[in-house]
Amino acid sequence: MLRNRRNEGLFGLALVAPFVAIYGLVFVYPTIKLFMTSFTDAPLIGDGNFVGFDNYARLPSDRRFGTAVWNTAYFVLITVVPGTLVAFAIALGVNRLAGRLQAAVLALFFLPYILPVSVVYLLWDWTLNFQFGIAMYLFDMLGIARIPVFKSTAWFMPAVGMITIWWTAGFSILLFLAGLRTIPTEIYEAAALDNAGRWSTFRRITWPLMWPITALVLTIQLISQLKIFDQVYLFSVGGRPNDNVVLVYYVFQRAFQSDQGGRAAAVAVVLFVIVIVVSVLNFQLTRLSGGRDR
């Protein structure tokens, strides 16, 4: 019996070992190396001298770093909660459909999610480009002045936020739809027998039972939008990249454009800590809110 348990343990370790090795090589080692590099003046490639906390001490006085923090926080504010609410509302509507119509509508909303970011950029550049965008021709027909959406600091982040919600809503809709389908129909039938209205049914049944899925979507969206880079980088081409810089874009500028690997690593560590802290706080807050709703 003891030998069988030992053999099972060795077999389990053999199955887990490849994953542990790959995880350590791909995540643990680079993370440790990132922290070590952040305390040096190393370039992008190669070693550097130990400088202690100098790279971190420079950050509060770095204007571009402050701009990146503000832009990242602003982008999270205009995308995470609005995107979650939009996806939830669409999922509620799709859930009322049936058969092929439901499948067609769901595919229509999910299609943007599978598009690569380069295609998303081209689609919306053709739509909102100041010189040849389709929307600009519509503005001309309506007598509205053209708006340089991607070259204006005031319009850039809201436009990219709207595009991001359109692009990523499909996955959140799927999660919400899966959650809605797990709610037993008997609960709604009992509510109907009690003459509960739609709003009362939603507030007292649907919303509390969907709160775990909502918390999951909020957490996924929060982590994703804190790491925003691709859309900002592409839509900033020909515009004002230093005014629209976000944290990951700032890491890119320091590492690949200024060849300052140590300073880029320090910013990456700050972002790493922010993602962990904000994610944990979001999880705790959503759990407490869900507990009160129940």
Side-chain angles (χ1 to χ4, degrees), residues 38-52:
S38 69
F39 295 106
T40 69
D41 60 356
L44 178 61
I45 299 176
D47 299 324
N49 299 317
F50 181 78
V51 295

Side-chain angles (χ1 to χ4, degrees), residues 85-117:
L85 294 177
V86 167
F88 194 12
I90 293 173
L92 288 171
V94 173
N95 192 52
R96 290 181 174 276
L97 305 176
R100 293 183 179 179
L101 179 60
Q102 184 186 64
V105 173
L106 182 59
L108 185 66
F109 282 112
F110 188 74
L111 180 61
Y113 182 73
I114 65 176
L115 297 177
V117 66

Side-chain angles (χ1 to χ4, degrees), residues 52-110:
F53 288 92
D54 286 357
N55 293 330
Y56 294 97
R58 290 180 178 181
L59 294 179
S61 59
D62 189 335
R63 188 184 68 83
R64 272 197 296 165
F65 175 74
T67 302
V69 172
W70 162 250
N71 286 339
T72 303
Y74 178 50
F75 188 81
V76 167
L77 182 66
I78 64 176
T79 56
V80 174
V81 174
T84 301
L85 294 177
V86 167
F88 194 12
I90 293 173
L92 288 171
V94 173
N95 192 52
R96 290 181 174 276
L97 305 176
R100 293 183 179 179
L101 179 60
Q102 184 186 64
V105 173
L106 182 59
L108 185 66
F109 282 112
F110 188 74

Side-chain angles (χ1 to χ4, degrees), residues 29 163 168 240:
Y29 172 73
I163 293 169
T168 60
R240 306 173 66 178

Side-chain angles (χ1 to χ4, degrees), residues 2 5 17 35 103 107 131 147 150 170 174 193 223 237 252 269:
L2 182 62
R5 289 184 178 178
F35 277 85
Q131 294 181 331
I147 302 173
F150 300 124
L174 277 184
L193 290 175
I223 294 173
V237 174
F252 170 80
V269 169

Side-chain angles (χ1 to χ4, degrees), residues 171-192:
F171 182 67
S172 300
I173 292 170
L174 277 184
L175 291 177
F176 280 125
L177 195 59
L180 289 169
R181 289 176 175 176
T182 62
I183 300 176
T185 57
E186 291 82 1
I187 298 178
Y188 290 115
E189 292 172 357

